[in-house]
Amino acid sequence: MEKLLGALIDGVAFGCVYALLAVGLTLAYKTSGVFNIAFGVQAFASGAIYYQLHVNDGWGILPAFIISVIIVAPLIGAILDRFLFRHLRSAPSMARLITALGLLVAIPQIVLLKFNQTEATRPTGIVPGGDVPYHIFGATLSRDQLSIMVCAVIVAVGLVLVFRYTALGIRMRAVVESPRMAELAGTDADRIGTAAWMLSSLVAGLAGVLLPTVTSQVGDIYYTTLLTAAIAATVLGSLTSIPLAFFGAIGLGVVQELLNRYLPTNSVLASNLRPSLPFVVLFLVLILSPRLRNKRELTDPLSSVDPPPPAPAAGQRSRELTIGTRVAGVLFGLGIGYYVFFHGNASVVGQGIQVVIYSIIFCSIVVITGIAGEVSFAQATFAGIGGFASAQLSSSAGMSVIFTIIIGGLIAAAVGAMLAIPALRLGGIFLTLATYAFALFFDNVIVSLSWVSGGLFPVVAPRPQLGSIDFASDRSFLVLCLVFLVIVGVIVMQVRSGTTGRYLSAVRGSEVAAASVGISPTRARITAFALSAGIAGVGGALLASYEGHANKIDYNATLGLFWVVIVVTLGSRTVEGAIQAALGFVLFSARVLPDWIPWIINHVQPFLHVDSLPNAVQFIFFGFGALTYAKHQEGILEANKVKSLAWVQGKIDRFKSGGRTKPGAAAVDTPGAAP
Amino acid sequence: MTLLVADGVTKTFAGITALDNIELDVGPQEIVGLIGPNGAGKTTFFNCLLGILKPDGGRVTFEGRDLARVAPYKRARLGIARTFQRVELFSGMTPRDHFLVAERVRNGRGALWKDVLFMGGPSADENERVGAMLELLDLVPVADRPIESLSLGVGRLVEIGRALMTEPKLVLLDEPSSGLDRHETEQLAGQLRTVQNERGFAILLVEHDVEFVRSLVERVFVLDFGTLIASGPTDEVFADSAVRKAYLGDIV
Amino acid sequence: MAAVTEPATAPVLELRDVDAGYGPFRAIFDVSFSLARGRVLALLGSNGAGKTTIARVCSGLIVPTSGKVVYQGDDVTGQRAYKYARHGIIHAPEGRSVFASLTVAENLELTFRRSRGRNGVKKGLDEAFTMFPRLRDRRHQIAGTLSGGEQRMLSLARVIVERPRLLIADELSLGLAPIVVDEVYRTLEQIREAGTTLLIVEQHVHHALGIADDAIVLVKGEVAYSGPVSELGDLQSRVLGGGGGEGPVGV
């Protein structure tokens, strides 16, 4: 009885933390239409500031609370609204998701420039004497736990009342549905939007300072992990019901605590089920919830007031220019390749190999995002599956490595297809969340199994051997990787211009219309998922082989998020984009930050000497880079390339016609004009 | 033999009967109209025919085959094509691409392995069929323009062409005239008639525009409050007083 | 509220040499007209002629790229749309013009709360429901589940109680059964009798011309005719019946 009561109390307290996050996340979605996956890191910012002020700098609870929760948290919300999300109201939901993802990557790194989270242990709550226990029938309830419960209930009840009964609530809902129509009804949509962001960010801040008392450390990883459980609860409420999200979160907390107490401590079930519960629940809720099935986003009837910029027309380049750019590109590549291969030292060759391998992996993102238009957060996991499978098969079963690399890809493809089958009817953001749940589940549970990763010692992945050719040396391995890249690149290009690509872009353009001519949207997407996972798997297997062992930190889910960020920022539509992203990913941490930027800074001015920039800069740089996604969905580099080529084309046209015709012959009809 | 038969189709939402025991049939190569006031259940019925909604009672058969367990995309392959009230086009693609996609689905020659082996491009025979359709609908001048840059009227034609590329036996047209002006509507009616004469498919037309319906349709069904209040040859139905009261008011 | 006596001749809204469009697309060119108090102006033209764009300029949804929007003698060009609404310019946009995720009552409250304050909401609701008893039965229903005709009624209910200075009605008949269109136009007649100036955008001209005093005919974004309906004459058949393909028609 005491044991049960204790479990209930701890479970409810834990559940209330989930509930705060879940309610806040629901609020953010309801009021801004953004599924704010950066909600956890917003909470982290407040939690870190509170800890810094209260624990490190010795401020009192109240002033520290006021600064971190009442002032900073809403301020962050106001800034995000003013500079980012306000401009994305009519953007597709995927653009908003990518923007939030950029923040998820960048914000913690900004905080960590100033905040040392490894020493941020023994945090305190927002009431004095937080560990004072109250005894109820022999079970204990601490003051911290009580404060969490009280806060969660106040927030949930308060928000429900605001939404249902106040003018502000009605206005917020109206603005979400259609800011312009709300304006026509006399509502200042921008102000309401800002208010909504500030309100949801305030909840994030509150959750941020309360949460460390249950995790006993202030670290960004806790916030992201707990957010997953909160997402599960949010999805239970179909993203819109605050009460359902609240009770779902508490239920989740209680079940988790009951498992904690009642499962035998050493059983396989306990050691696996407990940490994975939030991910399993999220995944199950996503694929089973009947309410999501018919969930259609309400579209703004006035969205045509600001139509999205027309897609860049690629077909208007002349043949000469296309051939010219291709030749230039190939020559440039050959030049770099020649330098790396014949003159590069060991580290240059190593970086060359990494660029090639990551280009292959990033091609998988081109398939799933650039062609199929879906966002997967599990690409690192698919790479991992390929890496572990290939390493296990070659080192344990002694199979030929070239062969196991391909088998690794096939296994990853099979897993991708299996993941896709139940998740695909969801589409859009729910599909993305399902891939995220899967990636976290893999990270937290599967990867620690010894038949996957080899347990404590990473499983050895030998270099391949083909007949008498041994790829043990880095230079020869580079050539092998290049061969793989060429094959993968050609496959991706062929698929894009072939039947599969056409079907996928039809499904992407209009799912109902695609079905109306007989395309099975599900089948098209499963193909894309399997192909993408397979490519990632081959890349992951090569990566393991290059490093000599399959290393789980190379396939971490968070890293996978960063991959998505970097590829969509630089260009997710083309193989070139993937290669550029790989160059950015590898060279930024290996060259640009430690050598090149300090060299430039130290040579242009004599006053300030810089040694090496922290690696965090890379995450901040590309995290902010992702914020441009909404404007340039084809990627920044791709957009600029199209722009500059159009300029060159204009010059060519003018030159050819002797300067007589108008530049920019790209005549476009006004919308709706009669033919 | 009739092509499409709706036999006692019934659909309720949360206790409210949206469709009550609807009987409708379309014969081969026939043009049939379905009209009714707003909220009469036309869209619901349409969605039941297409498998987007599941009827609670009754059944829909196509060429004698029960469609209850046939997924929407498979109905297209049986020979049922459709257009949309709010045009649904594949953004970023050209009219030619639209027709090619539909053609490829129809002939079923696409496969991932063919793409990989450089066999994914359009064949001469596919190009010919697509070219013929572009010509039939007078879309040749705009065939390679991105769909976003074309007007609504052209968009409607592209939808119709895409539907026809699947070589349907029956085309369901969902308010094809909405958003078009009188002139464009007349033009569309003319083109539909020509194309239907040439290709000989059946049409089930859901429309508000009375003139448009009259100019195309031989037989018409009238829905009101989820029940069929009249059906028969167009002129007879429009003379019916119940129909006038429910739908036409006093304008005819 | 101070009773301001306005000269009877001052137009409610005036567009002076307005150009506007969407991003790179220019939809209307050099459009000028004024809306006299208490009169009904019909904006006619084929699909794509720029009617909806003008309606949107008049309600502040689109800011002109050049030219001016003048409200009762004040230049309001570039002000945000909610300010126009607070001036008493109400725009019932084309297509769905109610908040589908709010209930019927909440849709009405959104407007009344601002214009009449907390205590005026109930009275406003009563007035609206007296006018449209069908809405009273459905007051707690989510507006998105109403039929097309009922949604149009809901957006008109808001207007009829508000008594705005100017109502911009964009394609109110679109997608409605003829019998419902008649009902909508009867309501417009009532609104007009209450003293509201009307700007009616229509593709199907018969109804619009039945109620309008003046008409503007647009051809490809330019004004082809501007003047009383009675003098529209054969232009009507040429422009409205003939189709949008012809060039601008000289007046």
Side-chain angles (χ1 to χ4, degrees):
Chain A
M1 178 62 204
E2 277 164 36
K3 192 176 169 189
L4 179 66
L5 194 64
L8 280 179
I9 287 175
D10 286 353
V12 170
F14 221 95
C16 280
V17 174
Y18 290 158
L20 269 174
L21 288 169
V23 165
L25 201 57
T26 307
L27 172 69
Y29 185 78
K30 264 176 99 117
T31 56
S32 64
V34 176
F35 193 81
N36 187 6
I37 51 172
F39 197 77
V41 299
Q42 273 182 263
F44 168 61
S46 286
I49 292 171
Y50 182 74
Y51 186 89
Q52 181 72 27
L53 293 178
H54 180 51
V55 180
N56 292 352
D57 301 347
W59 290 30
I61 286 180
L62 194 62
F65 181 81
I66 288 176
I67 296 282
S68 59
V69 177
I70 311 285
I71 295 177
V72 171
L75 190 67
I76 294 176
I79 290 172
L80 294 186
D81 170 62
R82 181 69 191 76
F83 294 104
L84 288 174
F85 291 105
R86 177 180 294 182
H87 310 287
L88 299 183
R89 286 208 196 107
S90 52
S93 65
M94 209 37 88
R96 292 184 288 221
L97 181 72
I98 296 290
T99 307
L101 180 62
L103 294 173
L104 171 68
V105 167
I107 289 180
Q109 302 296 334
I110 296 174
V111 174
L112 292 175
L113 289 177
K114 286 282 165 210
F115 179 73
N116 182 356
Q117 69 175 2
T118 48
E119 288 173 13
T121 51
R122 297 178 54 78
T124 49
I126 57 166
V127 284
D131 40 14
V132 174
Y134 300 100
H135 297 279
I136 306 163
F137 302 114
T140 56
L141 168 71
S142 78
R143 237 191 233 185
D144 275 339
Q145 287 178 320
L146 189 63
S147 69
I148 291 174
M149 293 178 192
V150 170
C151 285
V153 170
I154 290 176
V155 165
V157 172
L159 288 179
V160 167
L161 294 179
V162 164
F163 267 109
R164 198 156 294 171
Y165 298 110
T166 69
L168 179 70
I170 295 178
R171 284 184 192 146
M172 286 200 284
R173 282 187 284 152
V175 170
V176 175
E177 190 184 323
S178 168
R180 293 187 193 80
M181 226 155 68
E183 293 241 322
L184 291 182
T187 303
D188 184 346
D190 285 355
R191 251 181 61 195
I192 297 293
T194 310
W197 266 97
M198 290 172 76
L199 188 61
S200 76
S201 301
L202 180 75
V203 177
L206 184 63
V209 300
L210 288 169
L211 182 145
T213 55
V214 300
T215 59
S216 63
Q217 196 182 357
V218 187
D220 62 335
I221 189 74
Y222 297 107
Y223 288 89
T224 327
T225 314
L226 289 187
L227 188 70
T228 318
I231 291 175
T234 312
V235 173
L236 266 178
S238 331
L239 303 193
T240 47
S241 164
I242 289 179
L244 278 181
F246 180 80
F247 290 113
I250 289 181
L252 198 58
V254 169
V255 171
Q256 207 172 0
E257 205 53 41
L258 288 176
L259 289 179
N260 213 348
R261 304 276 169 104
Y262 286 93
L263 281 181
T265 5
N266 293 323
S267 73
V268 185
L269 200 60
S271 59
N272 290 324
L273 189 56
R274 226 185 319 141
S276 64
L277 188 72
F279 320 125
V280 174
V281 170
L282 174 57
F283 194 75
L284 290 180
V285 167
L286 279 169
I287 62 172
L288 296 179
S289 166
R291 294 184 62 179
L292 295 180
R293 189 167 311 193
N294 298 319
K295 183 138 184 99
R296 289 266 156 79
E297 282 180 76
L298 279 175
T299 45
D300 181 351
L302 285 174
S303 58
S304 66
V305 172
D306 298 319
Q316 293 175 351
R317 264 174 240 159
S318 68
R319 211 178 145 70
E320 298 94 309
L321 187 60
T322 314
I323 293 173
T325 50
R326 289 234 174 107
V327 169
V330 169
L331 285 179
F332 184 73
L334 284 177
I336 299 269
Y338 177 83
Y339 166 75
V340 170
F341 194 77
F342 292 104
H343 299 281
N345 59 22
S347 82
V348 168
V349 173
Q351 282 151 15
I353 294 174
Q354 286 184 40
V355 168
V356 174
I357 293 176
Y358 281 110
S359 298
I360 295 172
I361 296 179
F362 291 174
C363 275
S364 76
I365 300 178
V366 170
V367 171
I368 197 70
T369 304
I371 300 177
E374 299 287 350
V375 174
S376 158
F377 285 174
Q379 294 309 105
T381 306
F382 293 138
I385 290 170
F388 292 127
S390 160
Q392 289 285 11
L393 287 174
S394 54
S395 64
S396 314
M399 293 160 83
S400 153
V401 179
I402 294 267
F403 192 55
T404 63
I405 287 171
I406 292 162
I407 300 268
L410 291 176
I411 292 176
V415 174
M418 259 154 37
L419 172 70
I421 289 166
L424 271 171
R425 65 170 180 79
L426 301 165
I429 189 155
F430 296 108
L431 174 60
T432 305
L433 288 178
T435 60
Y436 192 43
F438 172 70
L440 289 171
F441 177 69
F442 188 84
D443 264 18
N444 285 278
V445 182
I446 308 277
V447 112
S448 53
L449 303 175
S450 63
W451 58 269
V452 175
S453 65
L456 286 178
F457 304 101
V459 49
V460 172
R463 289 283 173 89
Q465 221 174 348
L466 197 64
S468 58
I469 316 167
D470 191 346
F471 293 100
S473 85
D474 278 1
R475 279 198 163 74
S476 56
F477 190 64
L478 174 61
V479 174
L480 180 73
C481 290
L482 269 173
V483 171
F484 270 101
L485 176 59
V486 169
I487 294 171
V488 166
V490 168
I491 289 178
V492 171
M493 287 192 250
Q494 285 302 312
V495 163
R496 193 180 46 196
S497 62
T499 312
T500 314
R502 281 175 200 274
Y503 284 10
L504 283 169
S505 58
V507 170
R508 183 183 191 171
S510 168
E511 192 171 330
V512 277
S516 84
V517 293
I519 296 173
S520 160
T522 318
R523 206 178 131 190
R525 290 213 191 97
I526 288 173
T527 312
F529 251 86
L531 183 64
S532 165
I535 292 173
V538 167
L542 284 169
L543 188 62
S545 179
Y546 164 64
E547 294 189 346
H549 47 256
N551 204 338
K552 66 182 177 193
I553 58 161
D554 287 334
Y555 311 119
N556 183 280
T558 319
L559 193 64
L561 297 185
F562 184 58
W563 291 354
V564 174
V565 163
I566 198 165
V567 175
V568 298
T569 304
L570 293 178
S572 60
R573 297 269 164 98
T574 55
V575 175
E576 267 167 88
I579 296 172
Q580 287 154 359
L583 278 168
F585 179 65
V586 173
L587 294 186
F588 240 76
S589 54
R591 291 280 160 166
V592 177
L593 294 175
D595 305 334
W596 296 353
I597 292 181
W599 187 88
I600 293 170
I601 293 177
N602 296 337
H603 280 75
V604 294
Q605 47 84 31
F607 312 107
L608 182 74
H609 184 79
V610 180
D611 280 332
S612 172
L613 294 176
N615 205 25
V617 174
Q618 184 190 11
F619 293 93
I620 298 171
F621 182 79
F622 286 109
F624 281 137
L627 308 184
T628 62
Y629 175 78
K631 206 165 177 188
H632 297 294
Q633 298 193 7
E634 71 277 26
I636 309 176
L637 290 180
E638 184 67 22
N640 283 311
K641 199 177 76 188
V642 168
K643 219 158 77 184
S644 44
L645 284 180
W647 182 80
V648 174
Q649 182 69 52
K651 290 275 174 202
I652 293 176
D653 290 346
R654 210 180 306 177
F655 178 75
K656 273 187 179 166
S657 62
R660 261 166 291 133
T661 50
K662 279 185 282 179
V668 192
D669 276 12
T670 46
Chain B
M1 181 186 147
T2 42
L3 200 57
L4 178 88
V5 179
D7 185 11
V9 170
T10 301
K11 178 80 193 169
T12 54
F13 294 110
I16 299 164
T17 306
L19 291 176
D20 187 12
N21 202 21
I22 306 295
E23 309 271 345
L24 179 146
D25 63 285
V26 183
Q29 309 192 12
E30 191 185 15
I31 308 185
V32 171
L34 175 66
I35 63 171
N38 284 89
K42 296 189 301 292
T43 309
T44 308
F45 182 64
F46 217 69
N47 286 338
C48 285
L49 293 184
L50 288 160
I52 294 166
L53 290 174
K54 271 201 187 348
D56 298 319
R59 53 187 218 136
V60 179
T61 55
F62 187 72
E63 296 188 305
R65 178 177 169 173
D66 191 343
L67 291 182
R69 297 193 165 273
V70 183
Y73 75 90
K74 287 193 181 145
R75 298 185 190 210
R77 296 183 188 176
L78 290 180
I80 306 178
R82 72 168 296 189
T83 65
F84 298 83
Q85 184 182 352
R86 290 184 53 185
V87 283
E88 290 277 355
L89 293 160
F90 305 142
S91 46
M93 294 168 74
T94 65
R96 191 187 297 281
D97 290 335
H98 279 75
F99 294 179
L100 259 178
V101 163
E103 166 65 14
R104 191 55 70 79
V105 182
R106 185 195 64 83
N107 65 31
R109 285 196 216 130
L112 185 59
W113 64 267
K114 285 187 179 166
D115 294 343
V116 172
L117 298 178
F118 298 81
M119 290 156 63
S123 67
D125 146 62
E126 285 173 332
N127 277 333
E128 191 182 315
R129 292 177 47 86
V130 167
M133 183 60 72
L134 287 168
E135 221 150 279
L136 183 64
L137 295 171
D138 296 329
L139 290 171
V140 177
V142 295
D144 296 304
R145 301 252 290 267
I147 203 78
E148 289 85 355
S149 69
L150 303 174
S151 70
L152 183 66
V154 176
R156 280 263 147 73
L157 282 181
V158 173
E159 273 203 334
I160 290 169
R162 181 180 64 191
L164 296 184
M165 284 311 291
T166 64
E167 296 202 334
K169 295 174 186 123
L170 170 68
V171 183
L172 306 177
L173 299 174
D174 194 355
E175 305 215 4
S177 82
S178 82
L180 302 185
D181 65 21
R182 169 90 17 236
H183 176 70
E184 288 171 313
T185 306
E186 277 166 18
Q187 207 176 335
L188 181 70
Q191 265 165 320
L192 268 177
R193 231 175 283 122
T194 320
V195 177
Q196 200 260 350
N197 275 339
E198 186 155 321
R199 302 257 165 145
F201 46 88
I203 294 179
L204 176 59
L205 174 71
V206 171
E207 232 336 305
H208 262 119
D209 190 324
V210 177
E211 293 292 308
F212 189 60
V213 173
R214 284 190 149 175
S215 71
L216 276 175
V217 166
E218 300 136 32
R219 219 152 47 94
V220 69
F221 292 80
V222 186
L223 272 181
D224 192 23
F225 291 112
T227 50
L228 212 53
I229 56 168
S231 63
T234 312
D235 291 333
E236 279 175 36
V237 168
F238 280 135
D240 184 317
S241 64
V243 174
R244 296 172 73 101
K245 191 162 165 292
Y247 183 59
L248 301 168
D250 48 14
I251 69 156
V252 179
Chain C
M1 288 278 277
V4 185
T5 48
E6 292 144 345
T9 51
V12 179
L13 194 78
E14 215 183 329
L15 259 56
R16 293 185 191 153
D17 308 324
V18 167
D19 284 13
Y22 308 88
F25 303 119
R26 302 270 296 283
I28 55 171
F29 306 93
D30 201 27
V31 169
S32 300
F33 65 87
S34 64
L35 282 160
R37 178 168 314 282
R39 286 179 79 86
V40 179
L41 175 68
L43 207 50
L44 309 170
S46 66
N47 192 41
K51 303 183 302 287
T52 294
T53 310
I54 291 185
R56 287 170 173 175
V57 168
C58 290
S59 64
L61 272 179
I62 295 179
V63 177
T65 45
S66 73
K68 273 184 186 167
V69 184
V70 178
Y71 169 74
Q72 298 198 338
D74 299 329
D75 186 352
V76 291
T77 320
Q79 283 188 6
R80 300 253 314 279
Y82 75 94
K83 292 235 165 113
Y84 281 65
R86 291 180 187 185
H87 288 317
I89 299 174
I90 288 200
H91 180 176
E94 185 187 18
R96 179 163 62 82
S97 58
V98 298
F99 292 98
S101 61
L102 304 186
T103 65
V104 169
E106 284 169 341
N107 261 287
L108 294 169
E109 263 183 73
L110 185 72
T111 316
F112 299 157
R113 188 70 181 247
R114 179 188 54 74
S115 58
R116 305 180 155 216
R118 183 188 293 264
N119 301 321
V121 173
K122 200 179 164 306
K123 199 161 159 280
L125 286 178
D126 278 343
E127 279 179 48
F129 292 151
T130 317
M131 206 77 73
F132 300 101
R134 195 148 167 206
L135 294 180
R136 190 193 296 276
D137 305 336
R138 309 197 166 206
R139 60 185 299 171
H140 295 301
Q141 194 173 331
I142 299 291
T145 62
L146 296 177
S147 74
E150 286 166 339
Q151 292 192 10
R152 225 53 67 89
M153 289 302 150
L154 176 56
S155 66
L156 284 178
R158 185 169 66 108
V159 175
I160 214 165
V161 175
E162 281 283 284
R163 295 185 203 290
R165 289 216 170 78
L166 170 64
L167 169 64
I168 302 162
D170 193 354
E171 301 279 7
L172 281 184
S173 67
L174 191 72
L176 294 187
I179 199 167
V180 185
V181 176
D182 291 344
E183 212 176 322
V184 166
Y185 271 86
R186 273 197 293 279
T187 313
L188 283 182
E189 197 74 57
Q190 287 174 2
I191 293 172
R192 169 214 200 148
E193 274 157 24
T196 296
T197 308
L198 289 176
L199 175 63
I200 297 181
V201 176
E202 267 299 349
Q203 246 176 61
H204 297 272
V205 292
H206 305 291
H207 280 286
L209 291 181
I211 188 174
D213 305 307
D214 305 308
I216 283 182
V217 177
L218 286 170
V219 175
K220 300 219 162 189
E222 291 182 70
V223 175
Y225 171 83
S226 175
V229 168
S230 53
E231 289 166 29
L232 200 51
D234 71 321
L235 196 70
Q236 183 181 349
S237 55
R238 280 171 67 195
V239 176
L240 308 176
E246 302 166 17
V249 182
V251 182

